[in-house]
Amino acid sequence: MSSFWLKRSRSISSVLLQNLRTKTGTLDSSQFLNSIQSSQNHTVLPSGLSSFLLKALKNPSGSQYQQFLHRNSKGGFRFFSTQAVTEPSTADGLTVEGIVASQWTILDESESDWKSHAAAIAQSILVIKKRLQWNKLMVRLNFLSAELNKPNLWDDPVHAGRISREHGSLMGKMKEVKAFEQELLEHIDMIKLAREENDTELESESLKALLTMRRISNEKELEALLSGEQDPCPCYIEVQAGAGGTESMDWAAMVMEMYKSWAQQRGYKVTVVDEMPGEMAGIKRATIKVEGEYAFGYAKSEVGVHRLVRISPFDSGKRRHTSFAAVAVIPIMGDGSTRVQINESDLRIERYRAGGPGGQHANTTDSAVRIVHIPTGVTVTCQNERSQHQNKASAMAVLQSRLDQLEMARQAQMNAQHTQSLTDISWGNQIRTYVLHPYRMVKDLRTNYEVSDPDSVLEGDLDGFILSYLSASLDKDENEG
Amino acid sequence: MKLSLIRTYSYYTFPNFHKPKTQSPSLCARLTRPVCSTSLKPKTPLFLRPPEYSATLSDLKRWQDWAKTLSSSIGSSFLDSDNGPDPSLLCRELNWLIEDSLEDHSVIPQLGIQDNSKNVRLKVDIAELYSLWKQRIEGRKPFQYIVGCEHWRDLVLSVEEGVFIPRPETELLVDLASDAVSNNEELRQGLWVDLGTGSGAIAIGIGRILGTRGRVIATDLNPLAASVAAFNVQRYSLQDVIEIRQGSWFEPLKDIEEKLSGVISNPPYIPSEDIPGLQAEVGRHEPRLALDGGFDGMDDLLYLSNCTALLLKPGGFFAFETNGEKQCKFLVDYLENDNAGSFCNMKIVSDFAGIPRFVTGFHQ
Ligand SMILES: C[S@@+](CC[C@H](N)C(=O)[O-])C[C@H]1O[C@@H](n2cnc3c(N)ncnc32)[C@H](O)[C@@H]1O
């Protein structure tokens, strides 16, 4: 083995050592150093640390390296206290919270900038922690540990079993996140070290590893954001024009187009279920069905009233107008979930536009159907299918989902749960403003997230708004919880 | 029997069909011969044709713009004159025509883009599209004849000029039959008839709700209707369940000895005097044989009721479509008095426009 490798292995180990020291404070460092020393003499240690490390360094691109870090951070070392109360940090004391606080700019994935990767990962970790209600989780864990340490615990084996199971499960969750933090910080250490040593190969390998982590953390963050029972469901998105005639109907059509493009860009399947055109332009109301993974989870963020300020293209006086469109999002629940039973006798089914004696007298392709659910007054119309039967079937499907949603809201209210996304849209419930004139901006009134390019938003670039709303809802959950 | 069979032929005369009452056995055989062997070959609906043509998206767009302008130009004139289509309905039909003409629907959103020289495959020549839309607007040709199909219930049925286009109201007849068999296994496994089947709509609807042993015989006097119905039956692979027989009402059923579990019909019911004032799409294009129900529109309904009383088995179900409240009431009254004791559980059922449309009941 060349002395070059030995030199490096020593220096990296010392980084790790410092790292470990800050973490536990109780590590017997001489013992650890000894281990590393002996590994240089090609002896395999019981802990396996050095041989792993050396192999990893010889073949830094291999998955062993990853695996090593993983094993390492997952508690392959017995020196770790499983309590892990102290905050993991890098050699120079940087923590995950610290990274987020430094507000490093997050660039596109394709930019090879370690700070950007690190910042993105750190942010995802924070979101994941929020979802887990981290602070509460720690308090609970401490409580459970204290319980477990009670000498008379096993006097009541049922209670003890429950406590230890919960402890095990929370511990598992916590360790997973900690391991992830650990991995991030170790990669940062590696990069800093590689730079010190002018080792471009190691630097680029570590950067690659960070990018992989960034992708994984992105997925995990989404899982954390979209953990509602209905989130994975397909959904209906309904847009309705507010008061103000053609002006608002045009705006409603723009909003609907925005969702169609958004959904298509995400790879969702979009079907127009119902569309009621305005007399001159736009739509009075329309419903689309959006199918694909987590369609409801994302789209639910859009529920509420959307306001537009612009110079009206319909006003010859070129005055500024404000228009409103209301958006409702309804999950389409799978057959597995409990669904409201609909009684045929509770329905009034009507042709939407009747007239004349009908039957053999009339030839029309207009087979629009309106269904009124008498007990709740919920009304659904459908006119986009080519047969009345199919229009009725689509309308029934929409009605079913609406009633399911009402029922869910009712139950949630009974359980005093958070029902933000389910509240009925009232015209006061404004969530976002789109200004095209006198300046250009789209701003979400719930999160204050804003962008200065309304065109891109209207072309369906909504994910920024959606994600910021979803993580803001997590904050709310955490504070309320 | 009060009514003569011969009357119904007077609108539509076929050389072989005179005086069926006294027909010879050979004529009877000809009347009930399998339809597949007739020389009338149904036209293939547009959406089923091969994409043999092509055009650039901008050419298609130019045609669409032209067709939209033409559709808008009529304003409310059709609506005002005979309750015909308005521009918004015509524009919806235009979109469906595009759907049926295109091989690949995913290009439709690109139609908005100007100057798109991308080529798309079409099932009809673009010049033909101009002519078709002219026929739609200027000739008031029903949209269903333009595209050669009608979406009815969850079916897409082939139709063509000369064959009645199934109406949305009639979809309910299948639901009524479905309700009747829903907890009656005997009816579900029995023999049903659809009289005056047209494109085969009702027969196919019912064929799909019957049990494994259930069968439907559908008849129509119009040979073109019979061959179109046979085509549709084949498209839904129901040849083993549904038999199409050409002939007048119950005439082609003479060889059937078993009593019927169900009789369903949407016979012509428009009073003769209303025929001249019909909506242009109907009056100018649909076969009069399918529409004209005689003086008060009740000729065929009354005739069918009489035969039904004789052929339905005890507990058997019938459902007829009518022209509205007046005919419904008249029919129920007639069945209760003139056919006293034959039927029970009679009901008048309204369509989705709230118009009393159907009479249903069971044989005693
Ligand atoms: C109103 S159309 C109904 C067609 C089809 N059942 C539907 O609902 O779409 C009436 C049908 O009865 C047929 N018809 C008229 N007179 C008939 C007769 N004497 N025997 C058999 N069918 C007849 C016509 O050809 C036409 O197809």
Side-chain angles (χ1 to χ4, degrees):
Chain A
M1 187 168 296
S2 75
S3 60
F4 172 77
W5 282 112
L6 288 177
K7 175 170 165 263
R8 173 175 288 165
S9 91
R10 192 189 290 127
S11 52
I12 288 183
S13 301
S14 62
V15 170
L16 281 177
L17 180 61
Q18 281 175 26
N19 189 4
L20 291 174
R21 204 182 270 136
T22 54
K23 267 182 269 191
T24 64
T26 57
L27 178 68
D28 180 348
S29 57
S30 63
Q31 190 190 355
F32 190 62
L33 268 180
N34 277 339
S35 323
I36 288 171
Q37 227 79 62
S38 46
S39 93
Q40 286 170 0
N41 299 329
H42 308 282
T43 37
V44 180
L45 292 170
S47 75
L49 165 71
S50 299
S51 53
F52 246 114
L53 185 56
L54 287 171
K55 265 197 229 152
L57 289 169
K58 274 184 205 156
N59 179 17
S61 61
S63 60
Q64 276 169 333
Y65 174 63
Q66 284 273 327
Q67 216 178 359
F68 157 68
L69 285 174
H70 223 68
R71 245 183 74 154
N72 168 11
S73 49
K74 272 218 166 129
F77 294 103
R78 295 280 154 185
F79 327 108
F80 279 58
S81 146
T82 44
Q83 270 317 121
V85 219
T86 35
E87 196 61 22
S89 67
T90 58
D92 50 7
L94 191 59
T95 61
V96 169
E97 299 240 5
I99 296 174
V100 173
S102 342
Q103 298 201 316
W104 292 334
T105 320
I106 299 180
L107 305 166
D108 195 75
E109 258 185 23
S110 56
E111 305 279 338
S112 304
D113 175 49
W114 74 266
K115 282 189 169 179
S116 144
H117 290 334
I121 298 165
Q123 239 171 28
S124 300
I125 292 176
L126 279 202
V127 168
I128 293 163
K129 281 177 151 182
K130 274 185 204 161
R131 172 83 272 171
L132 288 173
Q133 305 198 305
W134 194 255
N135 295 337
K136 278 200 329 197
L137 183 120
M138 295 314 259
V139 172
R140 182 77 187 154
L141 209 49
N142 280 338
F143 166 78
L144 293 170
S145 305
E147 281 292 289
L148 282 178
N149 284 335
K150 282 186 185 160
N152 60 348
L153 173 74
W154 288 94
D155 292 354
D156 179 353
V158 179
H159 172 73
R162 226 181 42 228
I163 294 283
S164 86
R165 264 194 310 278
E166 190 185 348
H167 181 264
S169 133
L170 293 189
M171 204 62 192
K173 284 183 190 165
M174 185 209 66
K175 273 192 190 163
E176 206 181 320
V177 178
K178 285 271 174 192
F180 210 67
E181 292 191 30
Q182 193 74 55
E183 197 180 333
L184 167 64
L185 299 168
E186 275 159 10
H187 285 311
I188 295 177
D189 273 333
M190 285 289 188
I191 285 182
K192 287 185 175 168
L193 183 79
R195 291 195 160 185
E196 248 166 55
E197 308 252 324
N198 264 336
D199 185 341
T200 50
E201 201 189 333
L202 178 63
E203 186 180 341
S204 87
E205 287 310 324
S206 302
L207 206 60
K208 234 192 220 166
L210 269 186
L211 179 61
T212 310
M213 265 199 92
R214 180 168 172 180
R215 293 192 177 134
I216 295 171
S217 68
N218 223 341
E219 275 167 32
K220 290 197 171 176
E221 176 182 350
L222 274 182
E223 276 168 29
L225 285 176
L226 299 172
S227 60
E229 199 189 323
Q230 283 90 35
D231 285 351
C233 294
C235 66
Y236 295 109
I237 300 182
E238 303 191 320
V239 177
Q240 187 170 354
T246 302
E247 190 60 51
S248 287
M249 292 182 210
D250 186 52
W251 170 227
M254 287 163 72
V255 171
M256 196 36 119
E257 279 312 309
M258 173 171 86
Y259 290 129
K260 282 186 196 165
S261 330
W262 169 77
Q264 265 148 8
Q265 283 160 27
R266 290 207 71 93
Y268 291 155
K269 180 177 166 221
V270 179
T271 334
V272 179
V273 174
D274 188 29
E275 199 169 66
M276 181 84 179
E279 282 88 20
M280 273 186 46
I283 50 170
K284 284 184 184 144
R285 164 198 83 229
T287 306
I288 56 170
K289 184 175 179 184
V290 181
E291 290 163 287
E293 276 190 6
Y294 289 96
F296 176 69
Y298 289 109
K300 68 175 186 213
S301 317
E302 296 296 301
V303 173
V305 173
H306 298 240
R307 169 170 170 258
L308 172 74
V309 181
R310 65 165 170 186
I311 301 278
S312 166
F314 304 97
D315 180 349
S316 50
K318 299 246 174 289
R319 277 166 302 191
R320 201 138 51 92
H321 280 251
T322 298
S323 327
F324 299 94
V327 175
V329 177
I330 303 150
I332 304 170
M333 286 188 284
D335 290 333
S337 45
T338 42
R339 317 202 64 183
V340 176
Q341 187 74 36
I342 300 178
N343 283 333
E344 278 281 330
S345 57
D346 285 341
L347 301 179
R348 194 168 70 235
I349 305 174
E350 301 164 341
R351 290 207 63 170
Y352 195 65
R353 191 164 39 177
Q360 290 168 14
H361 286 264
N363 172 289
T364 177
T365 49
D366 176 18
S367 52
V369 163
R370 169 167 48 208
I371 302 183
V372 184
H373 184 248
I374 301 163
T376 55
V378 172
T379 302
V380 182
T381 65
C382 195
Q383 56 175 349
N384 257 57
E385 299 287 344
R386 281 166 78 164
S387 88
Q388 182 172 280
H389 181 86
Q390 300 289 73
N391 273 327
K392 184 189 158 201
S394 304
M396 281 299 284
V398 177
L399 177 69
Q400 178 75 60
S401 295
R402 286 228 189 119
L403 293 180
D404 289 346
Q405 193 191 28
L406 273 183
E407 175 60 18
M408 260 161 29
R410 197 184 61 84
Q411 279 177 12
Q413 232 159 24
M414 271 173 17
N415 302 338
Q417 266 178 9
H418 155 76
T419 59
Q420 174 62 37
S421 60
L422 306 172
T423 45
D424 279 352
I425 31 165
S426 71
W427 292 101
N429 183 11
Q430 262 181 55
I431 65 156
R432 198 176 297 149
T433 300
Y434 306 67
V435 185
L436 304 186
H437 190 89
Y439 49 92
R440 298 170 61 75
M441 174 204 76
V442 181
K443 179 172 180 152
D444 200 290
L445 307 172
R446 303 164 300 181
T447 58
N448 289 330
Y449 184 92
E450 74 174 72
V451 300
S452 54
D453 177 13
D455 294 340
S456 71
V457 177
L458 291 171
E459 279 158 18
D461 190 0
L462 282 168
D463 283 344
F465 285 97
I466 291 177
L467 292 177
S468 65
Y469 171 74
L470 288 174
S471 44
S473 314
L474 275 188
D475 289 338
K476 212 172 148 199
D477 276 356
E478 198 180 37
N479 295 338
E480 280 172 3
Chain B
M1 221 170 278
K2 280 184 174 176
L3 296 153
S4 132
L5 278 171
I6 302 170
R7 183 207 53 76
T8 49
Y9 299 149
S10 54
Y11 315 120
Y12 198 107
T13 315
F14 293 100
N16 286 338
F17 295 149
H18 290 298
K19 306 199 193 315
K21 253 181 156 178
T22 56
Q23 64 194 230
S24 64
S26 70
L27 181 56
C28 175
R30 204 174 308 155
L31 275 171
T32 60
R33 76 194 160 192
V35 180
C36 343
S37 69
T38 98
S39 55
L40 296 164
K41 202 172 169 289
K43 292 200 181 102
T44 308
L46 181 55
F47 82 102
L48 286 179
R49 286 183 215 159
E52 286 172 339
Y53 308 88
S54 83
T56 64
L57 271 175
S58 45
D59 281 346
L60 194 61
K61 167 91 178 124
R62 200 165 308 125
W63 165 76
Q64 187 192 25
D65 289 344
W66 165 84
K68 268 191 189 160
T69 312
L70 188 61
S71 313
S72 306
S73 70
I74 61 134
S76 65
S77 58
F78 296 173
L79 189 67
D80 298 341
S81 71
D82 59 16
N83 214 7
D86 65 1
S88 79
L89 191 55
L90 289 168
C91 284
R92 192 127 44 97
E93 291 179 0
L94 190 57
N95 290 337
W96 290 333
L97 174 55
I98 293 171
E99 250 170 48
D100 281 8
S101 310
L102 274 173
E103 136 129 306
D104 172 14
H105 292 182
S106 68
V107 303
I108 293 176
Q110 297 173 35
L111 268 176
I113 304 163
Q114 295 297 324
D115 298 325
N116 197 329
S117 56
K118 185 175 159 180
N119 257 301
V120 288
R121 279 147 68 81
L122 289 172
K123 301 177 179 186
V124 52
D125 189 24
I126 193 124
E128 177 73 5
L129 281 175
Y130 279 93
S131 142
L132 286 174
W133 201 248
K134 252 199 157 96
Q135 295 173 51
R136 175 72 188 105
I137 307 293
E138 288 164 13
R140 300 284 304 269
K141 189 170 181 169
F143 175 73
Q144 298 90 337
Y145 290 157
I146 301 279
V147 289
C149 73
E150 159 77 341
H151 289 236
W152 192 83
R153 291 185 68 86
D154 50 350
L155 309 167
V156 184
L157 300 166
S158 172
V159 291
E160 64 183 85
E161 193 110 33
V163 177
F164 182 82
I165 300 162
R167 303 293 197 254
E169 286 87 346
T170 311
E171 291 180 346
L172 275 179
L173 270 180
V174 178
D175 292 320
L176 297 173
S178 174
D179 290 346
V181 301
S182 70
N183 40 32
N184 190 328
E185 202 50 22
E186 198 193 331
L187 292 188
R188 221 168 71 86
Q189 303 292 0
L191 176 61
W192 288 63
V193 294
D194 169 19
L195 303 160
T197 193
S199 61
I202 300 171
I204 294 172
I206 289 175
R208 303 210 307 171
I209 57 165
L210 291 185
T212 44
R213 275 177 293 126
R215 280 199 313 136
V216 185
I217 299 178
T219 69
D220 205 295
L221 181 60
N222 173 355
L224 183 60
S227 75
V228 167
F231 175 85
N232 284 323
V233 166
Q234 210 146 33
R235 237 176 57 76
Y236 286 95
S237 308
L238 288 167
Q239 302 95 302
D240 295 342
V241 182
I242 304 171
E243 193 185 333
I244 307 290
R245 296 186 177 190
Q246 185 190 36
S248 180
W249 303 135
F250 288 98
E251 200 70 26
L253 302 175
K254 275 193 169 149
D255 60 321
I256 303 290
E257 276 158 21
E258 83 181 89
K259 290 250 172 170
L260 305 173
S261 288
V263 174
I264 311 290
S265 183
N266 172 24
Y269 55 60
I270 299 178
S272 301
E273 61 172 11
D274 291 353
I275 299 281
L278 285 174
Q279 180 196 339
E281 278 80 2
V282 181
R284 277 197 231 158
H285 294 275
E286 291 194 288
R288 185 164 180 157
L289 176 70
L291 306 167
D292 192 335
F295 169 70
D296 58 358
M298 294 290 296
D299 288 3
D300 299 300
L301 278 168
L302 295 176
Y303 171 68
L304 290 176
S305 310
N306 291 331
C307 297
T308 300
L310 299 175
L311 295 171
L312 212 51
K313 70 160 114 175
F317 174 79
F318 77 88
F320 297 132
E321 182 172 323
T322 78
N323 197 30
E325 186 167 16
K326 219 168 114 188
Q327 287 193 1
C328 278
K329 284 193 167 152
F330 189 95
L331 195 60
V332 169
D333 195 50
Y334 176 78
L335 293 176
E336 272 169 355
N337 297 309
D338 293 46
N339 273 299
S342 292
F343 298 108
C344 61
N345 271 338
M346 274 186 292
K347 273 193 202 135
I348 293 177
V349 181
S350 293
D351 63 21
F352 288 159
I355 299 175
R357 179 69 63 194
F358 311 99
V359 175
T360 69
F362 292 86
H363 201 254
Q364 289 282 12

